[in-house]
Coordinates of all heavy atoms in Angstrom, one line a residue:
I270 N 0.9 -1.2 0.0 CA 0.1 0.0 0.0 C 0.8 1.3 0.0 O 2.0 1.3 0.5 CB -1.0 0.0 1.2 CG1 -2.0 1.2 1.1 CG2 -0.2 0.1 2.6 CD1 -3.1 1.0 2.2
S271 N 0.4 2.3 -0.6 CA 1.2 3.5 -0.7 C 0.1 4.7 -0.9 O -1.0 4.4 -1.2 CB 2.2 3.5 -1.9 OG 1.6 3.4 -3.1
R272 N 0.6 5.9 -0.6 CA -0.3 7.1 -0.7 C 0.6 8.3 -1.3 O 1.8 8.4 -1.0 CB -1.0 7.3 0.5 CG -0.1 7.9 1.6 CD -0.9 8.1 2.9 NE -2.0 9.0 2.8 CZ -3.0 9.1 3.7 NH1 -3.2 8.1 4.6 NH2 -3.9 9.9 3.4
D273 N -0.1 9.1 -1.9 CA 0.5 10.4 -2.4 C -0.5 11.5 -2.0 O -1.6 11.7 -2.5 CB 0.6 10.4 -3.9 CG 1.2 11.7 -4.4 OD1 1.4 12.7 -3.7 OD2 1.8 11.5 -5.5
N274 N -0.2 12.1 -0.9 CA -1.1 13.2 -0.3 C -1.3 14.4 -1.2 O -2.2 15.1 -1.1 CB -0.7 13.6 1.2 CG -0.9 12.6 2.2 OD1 -1.7 11.5 1.9 ND2 -0.3 12.6 3.3
A275 N -0.2 14.6 -2.0 CA -0.3 15.7 -3.0 C -1.4 15.5 -4.1 O -2.0 16.4 -4.6 CB 1.0 16.0 -3.6
K276 N -1.6 14.2 -4.3 CA -2.6 13.8 -5.3 C -3.9 13.3 -4.7 O -4.7 12.9 -5.5 CB -1.9 12.8 -6.3 CG -0.8 13.5 -7.1 CD -0.2 12.3 -8.0 CE 0.9 13.0 -8.9 NZ 1.5 11.9 -9.8
N277 N -3.9 13.2 -3.4 CA -5.1 12.7 -2.8 C -5.4 11.1 -3.3 O -6.6 10.8 -3.6 CB -6.4 13.5 -3.0 CG -6.4 14.6 -1.9 OD1 -5.3 15.0 -1.4 ND2 -7.5 15.4 -1.9
T278 N -4.4 10.4 -3.3 CA -4.6 9.1 -3.9 C -3.9 8.0 -2.9 O -2.9 8.3 -2.3 CB -4.0 8.9 -5.2 OG1 -2.6 9.2 -5.2 CG2 -4.7 9.7 -6.3
V279 N -4.4 6.8 -2.9 CA -3.9 5.6 -2.2 C -3.9 4.5 -3.2 O -4.9 4.4 -3.9 CB -4.6 5.4 -1.0 CG1 -6.2 5.0 -1.1 CG2 -3.9 4.3 -0.2
C280 N -2.9 3.8 -3.2 CA -2.7 2.6 -4.1 C -2.5 1.4 -3.5 O -2.0 1.3 -2.4 CB -1.6 3.0 -5.2 SG -1.9 4.4 -6.2
L281 N -2.8 0.3 -4.2 CA -2.5 -1.0 -3.7 C -1.8 -1.8 -4.8 O -2.6 -2.2 -5.8 CB -3.8 -1.6 -3.2 CG -3.5 -3.0 -2.5 CD1 -2.8 -2.8 -1.2 CD2 -4.9 -3.7 -2.3
Q282 N -0.4 -2.1 -4.7 CA 0.2 -2.8 -5.7 C 0.0 -4.4 -5.2 O 0.5 -4.7 -4.1 CB 1.6 -2.5 -5.7 CG 2.5 -3.3 -6.7 CD 2.1 -3.1 -8.1 OE1 2.0 -2.0 -8.7 NE2 1.7 -4.2 -8.8
M283 N -0.6 -5.1 -6.1 CA -0.9 -6.5 -5.8 C 0.1 -7.4 -6.7 O -0.1 -7.3 -7.9 CB -2.4 -6.8 -6.0 CG -3.3 -5.9 -5.2 SD -5.0 -6.5 -5.2 CE -5.2 -6.2 -7.1
S284 N 0.8 -8.2 -6.1 CA 1.7 -9.3 -6.9 C 1.4 -10.6 -6.3 O 0.7 -10.8 -5.3 CB 3.1 -8.8 -6.6 OG 3.4 -7.6 -7.0
S285 N 1.9 -11.6 -7.1 CA 1.8 -13.0 -6.7 C 0.2 -13.3 -6.4 O 0.0 -13.9 -5.4 CB 2.7 -13.3 -5.7 OG 3.9 -13.1 -5.9
L286 N -0.6 -12.8 -7.3 CA -2.1 -13.0 -7.1 C -2.5 -14.4 -7.0 O -1.9 -15.3 -7.8 CB -2.9 -12.2 -8.1 CG -2.9 -10.7 -8.0 CD1 -3.3 -10.0 -9.4 CD2 -3.7 -10.2 -6.8
K287 N -3.5 -14.6 -6.2 CA -4.1 -16.0 -6.0 C -5.6 -16.0 -6.3 O -6.1 -14.8 -6.1 CB -3.8 -16.4 -4.6 CG -2.5 -16.5 -4.2 CD -2.3 -16.8 -2.7 CE -0.9 -16.9 -2.2 NZ -0.7 -17.3 -0.7
P288 N -6.1 -17.0 -6.6 CA -7.6 -17.0 -6.9 C -8.3 -16.4 -5.7 O -9.4 -15.7 -5.8 CB -8.0 -18.5 -7.1 CG -6.7 -19.0 -7.7 CD -5.6 -18.3 -7.0
E289 N -7.9 -16.7 -4.5 CA -8.6 -16.2 -3.3 C -8.5 -14.6 -3.1 O -9.1 -14.2 -2.2 CB -8.0 -16.8 -2.0 CG -6.7 -16.9 -1.8 CD -6.0 -18.2 -2.4 OE1 -6.4 -18.7 -3.5 OE2 -5.1 -18.8 -1.6
D290 N -7.8 -14.0 -4.0 CA -7.8 -12.5 -3.9 C -8.9 -11.9 -4.7 O -9.1 -10.9 -4.7 CB -6.4 -12.0 -4.5 CG -5.2 -12.3 -3.6 OD1 -5.3 -12.3 -2.5 OD2 -4.2 -12.7 -4.3
T291 N -9.7 -12.8 -5.4 CA -10.8 -12.4 -6.1 C -11.7 -11.6 -5.2 O -12.1 -12.2 -4.2 CB -11.4 -13.6 -7.0 OG1 -10.5 -14.0 -7.9 CG2 -12.8 -13.1 -7.6
G292 N -12.3 -10.5 -5.7 CA -13.4 -9.8 -5.0 C -13.4 -8.4 -5.5 O -12.7 -7.9 -6.4
V293 N -14.4 -7.6 -4.8 CA -14.5 -6.2 -5.1 C -13.7 -5.5 -4.1 O -13.9 -5.6 -3.0 CB -15.9 -5.7 -5.1 CG1 -16.0 -4.3 -5.4 CG2 -16.7 -6.5 -6.2
Y294 N -12.8 -4.6 -4.6 CA -11.8 -3.9 -3.6 C -12.4 -2.4 -3.4 O -12.7 -1.8 -4.4 CB -10.4 -3.9 -4.2 CG -9.8 -5.2 -4.0 CD1 -10.2 -6.3 -4.8 CD2 -8.7 -5.3 -3.1 CE1 -9.6 -7.5 -4.5 CE2 -8.0 -6.5 -2.9 CZ -8.4 -7.7 -3.6 OH -7.9 -8.8 -3.4
F295 N -12.4 -2.0 -2.2 CA -12.8 -0.7 -1.8 C -11.8 0.0 -1.0 O -11.0 -0.6 -0.2 CB -14.1 -0.7 -1.0 CG -15.3 -1.4 -1.6 CD1 -15.4 -2.8 -1.5 CD2 -16.2 -0.7 -2.3 CE1 -16.6 -3.5 -2.0 CE2 -17.3 -1.2 -2.9 CZ -17.6 -2.7 -2.7
C296 N -11.7 1.3 -1.1 CA -10.9 2.1 -0.2 C -11.8 2.9 0.6 O -12.9 3.2 0.4 CB -9.9 3.1 -1.0 SG -10.7 4.3 -2.0
N297 N -11.2 3.3 1.9 CA -11.9 4.2 2.7 C -11.0 4.8 3.8 O -9.9 4.4 3.8 CB -13.1 3.4 3.4 CG -14.3 4.3 3.5 OD1 -14.3 5.4 4.1 ND2 -15.4 3.9 3.1
I298 N -11.5 5.6 4.6 CA -10.7 6.0 5.8 C -10.6 4.9 6.8 O -11.5 4.0 6.9 CB -11.2 7.3 6.5 CG1 -12.7 7.1 7.1 CG2 -11.3 8.4 5.4 CD1 -13.0 8.3 7.9
D299 N -9.6 5.0 7.7 CA -9.3 3.9 8.6 C -9.5 4.5 10.1 O -9.0 5.6 10.3 CB -7.9 3.5 8.4 CG -7.6 2.0 9.1 OD1 -8.5 1.5 9.6 OD2 -6.4 1.8 9.1
P300 N -10.2 3.7 10.9 CA -10.7 2.4 10.9 C -12.3 2.2 10.4 O -12.6 1.2 10.2 CB -10.4 1.9 12.3 CG -10.7 3.0 13.2 CD -10.2 4.1 12.4
R301 N -13.0 3.4 10.6 CA -14.3 3.4 10.2 C -14.6 4.1 8.9 O -13.9 5.0 8.5 CB -15.1 4.0 11.3 CG -15.2 3.3 12.6 CD -16.2 2.2 12.7 NE -17.5 2.9 12.3 CZ -18.3 2.4 11.4 NH1 -18.0 1.3 10.5 NH2 -19.5 2.9 11.3
P302 N -15.6 3.7 8.2 CA -16.0 4.4 6.9 C -16.3 5.8 7.1 O -16.8 6.1 8.2 CB -17.1 3.5 6.4 CG -17.1 2.3 7.0 CD -16.6 2.5 8.4
I303 N -16.0 6.6 6.2 CA -16.4 8.1 6.2 C -17.8 8.1 6.1 O -18.5 7.2 5.4 CB -15.6 8.7 5.1 CG1 -15.7 10.3 5.4 CG2 -16.1 8.4 3.7 CD1 -14.7 11.1 4.6
T304 N -18.4 9.1 6.8 CA -19.9 9.2 6.6 C -20.4 10.5 5.8 O -19.7 11.5 5.9 CB -20.5 9.3 8.1 OG1 -20.0 10.4 8.8 CG2 -20.3 7.9 8.8
V305 N -21.5 10.4 5.2 CA -22.0 11.5 4.5 C -23.6 11.5 5.0 O -24.4 10.6 4.8 CB -22.0 11.4 3.1 CG1 -22.8 12.5 2.4 CG2 -20.5 11.2 2.5
D306 N -23.9 12.7 5.6 CA -25.2 12.8 6.3 C -25.6 11.6 7.2 O -26.7 11.2 7.2 CB -26.3 12.9 5.1 CG -26.1 14.3 4.3 OD1 -25.5 15.2 4.9 OD2 -26.4 14.2 3.0
G307 N -24.7 11.2 8.0 CA -24.9 10.2 9.0 C -24.9 8.8 8.5 O -25.2 7.9 9.1
T308 N -24.5 8.6 7.2 CA -24.6 7.3 6.5 C -23.2 7.0 6.0 O -22.5 7.8 5.4 CB -25.6 7.3 5.3 OG1 -26.9 7.6 5.8 CG2 -25.6 5.9 4.7
D309 N -22.8 5.8 6.2 CA -21.5 5.2 5.7 C -21.5 5.4 4.2 O -22.4 5.0 3.5 CB -21.2 3.8 6.0 CG -20.9 3.6 7.5 OD1 -20.8 4.6 8.3 OD2 -20.9 2.4 7.9
Y310 N -20.3 5.9 3.8 CA -20.1 6.2 2.3 C -19.0 5.2 1.8 O -18.0 5.0 2.3 CB -19.6 7.6 2.1 CG -19.2 7.8 0.5 CD1 -20.2 8.1 -0.3 CD2 -17.9 7.6 0.2 CE1 -19.8 8.4 -1.7 CE2 -17.6 7.8 -1.1 CZ -18.6 8.1 -2.1 OH -18.1 8.4 -3.4
W311 N -19.4 4.6 0.7 CA -18.4 3.7 -0.1 C -18.5 4.0 -1.5 O -19.5 4.4 -2.0 CB -18.9 2.3 0.1 CG -18.8 1.7 1.5 CD1 -19.8 1.7 2.5 CD2 -17.7 1.2 2.1 NE1 -19.3 1.2 3.7 CE2 -17.9 0.8 3.5 CE3 -16.4 0.9 1.6 CZ2 -17.1 0.2 4.3 CZ3 -15.4 0.4 2.6 CH2 -15.8 0.0 3.9
G312 N -17.3 3.9 -2.1 CA -17.3 4.1 -3.6 C -17.7 2.9 -4.3 O -18.3 2.0 -3.6
Q313 N -17.7 2.9 -5.6 CA -18.2 1.8 -6.4 C -17.4 0.6 -6.4 O -17.9 -0.6 -6.7 CB -18.3 2.3 -7.8 CG -17.1 2.2 -8.7 CD -16.1 3.3 -8.5 OE1 -16.2 4.2 -7.6 NE2 -14.9 3.2 -9.2
G314 N -16.2 0.6 -5.8 CA -15.3 -0.5 -5.7 C -14.7 -0.8 -7.1 O -15.2 -0.4 -8.1

């Protein structure tokens, strides 16, 4: 995992991938999701 605060981005470099890595990947603030109008916000993944 890495981040670039100047670009407001966080990245995940994934190597040696396994079938069990399959899924929809989401980013968010840690440790709880960010909220919008009292509701957890998630991107599209």
